[in-house]
């Protein structure tokens, strides 16, 4: 059972399933700091990660409005849709609401979706510019026939994923009172012979393998 669980975890972090391959350019961590059409500053960090054997993409979006603290605003799960070039997502918002969205690929490398905000409709799109940048556009319109008014046009830049601190309590000689020591020994061999003994896998394991811990 443990082996099966380990295999499942490895598969969950693996590559995308073929049904989601068209979304591969958007995977990873992205950041931007644009200005809304209202003049308000926005910082955003979005992360798109394959999960569940690559058959879904987990999407997390953190934002910071103005000078406030970052908070998670959206958390979604994206999967293959019923039609070619379409993808379905269930998106949860920080205010407790939930949307079921349809993502469409009108062109290769361009993802588009819409959602309702009261009587208005919001349209968002991602367009891959290159391997390190994606353009994010947001527009809104009142009713079904009104003109689209731009709200945001920003460039997402690829960022490094956040790292977690290492739990050093699992290592020997960890903690605030660590100690070190040195050992000196004279070996009846030339420097070349000593280097050769330690530079091989067998020599390294003989000196530092787990049986010598």
């Amino acid at each position: 059972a443990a082996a099966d669980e380990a295999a499942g975890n490895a598969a969950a972090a693996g590559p995308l399933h073929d049904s989601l391959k068209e979304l591969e350019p958007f995977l990873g961590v992205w950041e931007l700091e644009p200005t809304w059409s209202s003049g308000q500053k926005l910082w955003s960090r979005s992360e798109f990660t394959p999960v569940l054997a690559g058959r879904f993409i987990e999407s997390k979006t953190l934002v910071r409005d103005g000078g406030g603290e970052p908070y998670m605003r959206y958390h979604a799960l994206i999967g293959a849709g019923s039609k070619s070039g379409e993808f379905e997502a269930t998106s949860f918002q920080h205010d407790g609401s939930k949307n079921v969205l349809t993502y469409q690929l009108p062109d290769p490398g361009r993802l588009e979706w819409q959602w309702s905000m009261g009587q208005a409709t919001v349209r968002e799109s991602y367009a891959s510019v290159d391997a390190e940048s994606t353009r994010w556009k947001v527009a809104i319109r009142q009713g079904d026939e009104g003109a689209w008014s731009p709200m945001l046009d920003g460039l997402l830049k690829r960022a490094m994923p956040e790292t977690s601190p290492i739990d050093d309590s699992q290592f020997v000689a960890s903690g605030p009172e660590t100690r070190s020591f040195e050992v000196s020994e004279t070996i009846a061999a030339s420097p070349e012979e000593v280097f050769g003994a330690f530079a091989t896998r067998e020599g390294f394991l003989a000196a530092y393998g787990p049986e010598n811990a």
Side-chain angles (χ1 to χ4, degrees), residues 89-122:
T90 301
S91 176
F92 302 90
Q93 281 74 253
H94 72 292
D95 60 2
S97 59
K98 178 183 72 173
N99 283 327
V100 178
L101 307 172
T102 298
Y103 290 74
Q104 296 180 321
L105 277 170
D107 303 297
R110 182 167 174 262
L111 193 63
E112 190 174 285
W113 65 101
Q114 297 182 15
W115 50 279
S116 298
M117 186 173 65
Q119 300 299 315
T121 301
V122 178

Side-chain angles (χ1 to χ4, degrees), residues 8-44:
N9 290 339
L16 278 178
H17 187 262
D18 288 343
S19 61
L20 298 177
K21 280 293 185 181
E22 293 172 296
L23 301 183
E24 196 161 22
F26 305 108
L27 294 181
V29 182
W30 304 86
E31 286 189 2
L32 85 164
E33 196 162 353
T35 300
W36 290 101
S37 58
S38 63
Q40 183 182 19
K41 293 286 187 180
L42 170 72
W43 171 89
S44 172

